[in-house]
Amino acid sequence: MKYKLTRGLLSVIFISCLFTYSGCVDECELDSEPTVFIYFSTQKYYRSVYGLHGKEKPDNQSADYQYSVPLSIKDDSTIVIFESDVRNDTLTIHYSRTVEMQSARCGFRIYFDDFEIVKPTTFTQASVSSTLDYSQELYVNINE
Amino acid sequence: MNKRSLTFSCILFVLVSVTHAQTYDTRRLYFGVDVLRTFPLTFSRGFVFEPSLIYKTKDHTIIDLAVGFNDIRKDELYSNVAYANTGRYYRLGVGKFLLKSRKKFNEFNLQACLIYSDFKETGTITFEGDNYGDLVEVRTQRNKLFIVELQPNYWLPISDRISVNFQVRINYIVTNPDEKDFPVYYVPGVGNVQAWGNRDGIPNSRRVTEGISIRLVYKFLEL
């Protein structure tokens, strides 16, 4: 009886530890460029969707409802270019950045805020979430 | 009585209450150079140079004047900060022989010092951006601090002219440092002032620090 109780207790402790560590997000890993996910209300075909002045320029993308692009940490805005065979679209996201110390372990971190869609933007029905979520992701919805 | 005057009073009390030593026949002048401070124990690269002039009276009172210069770097102070510290400091100390009789190997002294440290700290913060490029921000803060130091030390004679001076240093930073951008990490003339622990919180600097030092001393004049 006593042996079973000890075994049960140890199992509970082990499982708790497993859940605790598997659910952890290393806060220090959040220093890289955040990602903006752009959702369309209808399926769109763009050959290439990329950030202006960025290194990554994916080609031959398939038609989709969703595209993703990294957000610039260097500037206060990121211009997203949507290239297709018939036309090019542009989306500009503006934001503020503040560099503040987070902790001795993580050092400094960039805090983003005040996201808004500004000109030049060719979409008329675009909206952006006001802040990044916990995993450094931003969401844009386009209803056209 | 505030903290500052209490510290001064304590140091003065210790000095005054020290027993009078046996006298020398002559007054002596020494030149010293610190050899331990320049070792990169709390920094990655750079130098600390601290020459000093020491005067000993016949009744074995010590007057110790030091000037220090430093230019040090620490490549990774926190996870994304490269740290640099450039400055200078001046130290004036008064000391007394601790024991009743002076023999060859029993030269224990107690010194009280006042240090003025003027330094600039620069933190270069780098965020890596794989797609658009890195964000680099430079933060600079300057401090001019007064520090009081209590320094028990021991002189080990190597020859008639050369001695090694082992020092234990207990410092109290009297002036409030300006830490608007990041906590003060290194105070020239004192050393590392980063608080122990608290790795997951915003670190703060310590007001009371302790350390050891070794100085090579050369007697160049007897009066």
Side-chain angles (χ1 to χ4, degrees), chain B residues 124-189:
Chain B
T124 306
I125 311 154
T126 305
F127 298 97
E128 288 180 8
D130 297 332
N131 190 43
Y132 302 96
D134 296 349
L135 169 65
V136 178
E137 239 191 64
V138 179
R139 303 269 176 101
T140 302
Q141 61 192 20
R142 187 173 179 187
N143 272 298
K144 295 175 180 182
L145 306 178
F146 280 101
I147 301 113
V148 287
E149 179 177 273
L150 189 63
Q151 187 199 104
N153 65 62
Y154 172 67
W155 287 56
L156 175 69
I158 303 294
S159 69
D160 181 44
R161 285 188 175 272
I162 297 170
S163 300
V164 180
N165 181 206
F166 297 93
Q167 306 163 347
V168 175
R169 295 171 161 189
I170 301 150
N171 300 93
Y172 174 69
I173 300 170
V174 180
T175 323
N176 281 323
D178 173 13
E179 303 180 290
K180 64 179 165 55
D181 286 323
F182 51 88
V184 171
Y185 172 71
Y186 183 92
V187 176

Side-chain angles (χ1 to χ4, degrees), chain A residues 1-45:
Chain A
M1 180 66 185
K2 197 176 174 184
Y3 171 73
K4 275 185 179 172
L5 193 71
T6 313
R7 204 172 60 173
L9 202 65
L10 283 174
S11 307
V12 169
I13 292 169
F14 176 74
I15 290 165
S16 308
C17 288
L18 211 65
F19 274 109
T20 307
Y21 285 103
S22 62
C24 278
V25 176
D26 188 357
E27 292 173 348
C28 298
E29 294 297 318
L30 300 178
D31 284 336
S32 55
E33 291 165 341
T35 308
V36 53
F37 288 93
I38 302 152
Y39 294 98
F40 287 93
S41 54
T42 55
Q43 202 173 41
K44 292 274 181 183
Y45 171 70

Side-chain angles (χ1 to χ4, degrees), chain B residues 62-113:
Chain B
I62 302 165
I63 296 166
D64 181 353
L65 184 67
V67 182
F69 308 92
N70 75 289
D71 187 354
I72 61 163
R73 303 277 186 276
K74 191 172 173 67
D75 296 330
E76 205 174 88
L77 176 56
Y78 306 112
S79 72
N80 50 8
V81 183
Y83 176 81
N85 184 314
T86 312
R88 60 186 189 275
Y89 58 94
Y90 309 95
R91 191 181 70 234
L92 177 65
V94 182
K96 266 291 195 183
F97 184 55
L98 270 176
L99 304 174
K100 281 189 177 174
S101 62
R102 197 182 75 81
K103 290 173 189 165
K104 193 176 180 185
F105 291 107
N106 73 348
E107 206 170 324
F108 288 94
N109 305 289
L110 184 64
Q111 254 177 245
C113 308

